[in-house]
Amino acid sequence: MNKTIKLRIKREIDRDIELKILKLKGSLITKGFTEIIHIADENTEYYLNSFSTSPENKKEVEHFVLDYITNHDLSDTITLLQESN
């Protein structure tokens, strides 16, 4: 059964941060971790982005996302949440 990974992303961001977030999402797709990323409103401050990945990739995806957040100084913008299906 696939695992769902969720990212909480701040709504109010500048253009540079928006580009970094788009690159993260593109990387998740091009690396084959997922085929689609769903975007929903969580509340007035955050979006909730979610995607499914195989159980074999779950830890690798989590490490990739956390490294990306750290390397691109996005810790105030993106939070990795986890939820199992």
Side-chain angles (χ1 to χ4, degrees):
M1 179 181 285
N2 282 345
K3 300 295 181 182
T4 300
I5 296 179
K6 293 184 178 184
L7 303 173
R8 178 180 289 135
I9 300 177
K10 189 180 286 189
R11 286 180 182 261
E12 299 295 324
I13 56 175
D14 64 33
R15 182 71 179 144
D16 290 338
I17 292 175
E18 183 179 2
L19 289 173
K20 290 177 184 179
I21 293 169
L22 289 173
K23 288 180 183 178
L24 169 61
K25 292 178 186 181
S27 295
L28 290 168
I29 293 169
T30 58
K31 289 183 178 293
F33 293 137
T34 190
E35 293 180 7
I36 189 166
I37 298 174
H38 304 279
I39 302 169
D41 293 332
E42 183 178 42
N43 55 39
T44 58
E45 294 183 41
Y46 296 97
Y47 292 112
L48 191 62
N49 289 222
S50 61
F51 60 94
S52 296
T53 193
S54 68
E56 299 82 30
N57 287 338
K58 185 174 185 280
K59 288 293 180 195
E60 184 180 357
V61 171
E62 290 171 348
H63 289 293
F64 176 79
V65 169
L66 291 172
D67 287 346
Y68 191 94
I69 290 169
T70 300
N71 294 335
H72 293 87
D73 196 27
L74 295 171
S75 59
D76 291 337
T77 306
I78 301 175
T79 304
L80 174 65
L81 307 173
Q82 298 175 30
E83 180 180 302
S84 296
N85 284 346

